[in-house]
Amino acid sequence: THRPVVHTLQREDDTHTARSTHFTIPSLRPAVIHTVCPTVMTSCSLSLSCSYDMVHYGHSNQLRQAKAMGDYLIVGVHTDEEISKHKGPPVFTQAERYKMVQAIKWVDEIVEGAPYVTTLDTLDKYNSDFCVHGDDITLTVDGKDTYAEVKREGRYRECRRTQGVSTTDLVGRMLLMTKTHHSNIVSSTHREHTGPKGHSPWTGVSQFLQTSQKIIQFASGQEAQPGDTIIYVAGAFDLFHIGHVDFLETVYKQAERPYVIVGLHFDQEVNRYKGKNYPIMNIHERTLSVLACRYVSEVVIGAPYAVGKDLLDHFKVDLVCHGKTEVFPDRDTADPYAEPKKRGIFRTVDSGNGLTTDDIVQRIIKNRLQFEARNQKKEAKEIAVFEAMKRQAEGERAGDTAQAAQ
C-alpha cells in the first residue's frame, strides 16, 4: 500500500500555535481542510479539469480561496498511478507535480500520494476540520463523487471555479496550433473550436477576462525594502511549469534577501521570437500564473524586450538573470542584455532543469489521441452527472409546487 509523504514548507513566521487547517486534494483541482491544532494542514489534490495534470492559474486561484478559509493549507497530490486509473495518463510526472504545487505561494504543506477519494479518515489523519474543492465535480473511474462521504458529514466547503480557464482549452490550443488565443485576436475559427457544443458545465471553454481585482488578489502588494537585492528576469513564462519554477527558485537563491521582478513580454513579442502559435497562454493568463509563484515579488506586464537603462534605473535593479535557454536578438539584431552586461550585473544561472514549453507541447502532441479520448470520457461522465442532478432538482421543485397547491 502506498503511504503518503508529507512535506512542510518552512516559513520565517512559522509558529506552532492552534490554527485552522484546510485539506485540499487535487489531480489538479484543489480540496481544502481546516483544523484547529498545533500542526494544521491543507491537502490539495489538483484534479485535472478534464484533460491532464497541468497546474494553471485557475488551480492557483482555488488554492488562494481555500487558504482564505483558514490558517494553514495542506495540499494532497495524487500519484501517476491514481490519475491514470481515474482520468488517463498524466502529462507531468508526480515528482514534477509535487514541486509545482509546492511552489504556489498559498500552500503551506503538501501530501505526496494523497488518496483519490477523500474520506473522513483522510481528514482526521491530518487533523483537518474540513476539505475544500471547486464548485465543479470530480468523479472516480466508475462515476462516483470523490467527496460524497465528507459532504454527507458536513466537512466539505466549496470555492468558486475560475471562469475562462480550463485544462481542456489549453490542450486544445496546443493541438490546434492557431494564434486565436492571443489577447487581441478573435476569429470564427476560434469560436468554431471553442463554442458551446453540449460541453460539461465544469470543463467547457470560455474566455478569461482579466480584472484589476484579480491582479490585486494574486499580487503580494509588498515593495522592495532597504537591504533587499532587486533581481530582474524576463521572458514569456508560457504554460508556467516546473522548468520555470526551478529557474525562479535558483534566481531567488542568488541573494540573501531577494526581491524578484519578472518582466513578461506581450503576446506579439513572444510570437516574434518563438513563432508557431506561441504563447499558448496570453499575457493576462501568464501574469496570474507567475504572480502565484512563491519566488516572485513583482511582475512587469508587457516588459520591453531589451533590458535597457530606463528599466534598470526605474526598478533600481541590482542583478539581471537569465537561464541556459537561447537568447534571441532584438528586432534590430542587438543583444537584449547589452546594458546589464555593460554594468556588470548580468548573470547566467543554471537551474539544472532543461524542460521547456516546447517539451510540454511535444508531450501532448505525442499522446494526442490518448488525451483527446481522456477529455471526451471525462466530459461524458460529467454531463451525465449534471443531467441527473438537473432532473433531481426539477423533480424536487415539482414536488414542492404540488405540495404548495394542496
Side-chain angles (χ1 to χ4, degrees), residues 173 176-187 190 267 271-272 275-279:
R173 297 180 197 182
L176 287 173
M177 296 302 287
T178 66
K179 300 179 185 178
T180 50
H181 52 276
H182 292 173
S183 57
N184 68 337
I185 301 175
V186 178
S187 74
H190 182 61
D267 299 342
N271 189 251
R272 177 187 70 82
K276 299 180 183 177
N277 66 331
Y278 293 114

Side-chain angles (χ1 to χ4, degrees), residues 17-23 32-42 69-72 74 123-131 155:
T17 56
R19 50 198 163 170
S20 177
T21 305
H22 331 262
F23 185 82
V32 183
I33 303 167
H34 285 209
T35 299
V36 179
C37 63
T39 33
V40 268
M41 306 163 53
T42 308
M69 297 180 187
D71 305 309
Y72 196 83
I74 302 167
L123 301 192
D124 292 340
K125 179 177 181 179
Y126 298 111
N127 299 315
S128 297
D129 295 312
F130 59 90
C131 74
R155 294 177 67 180

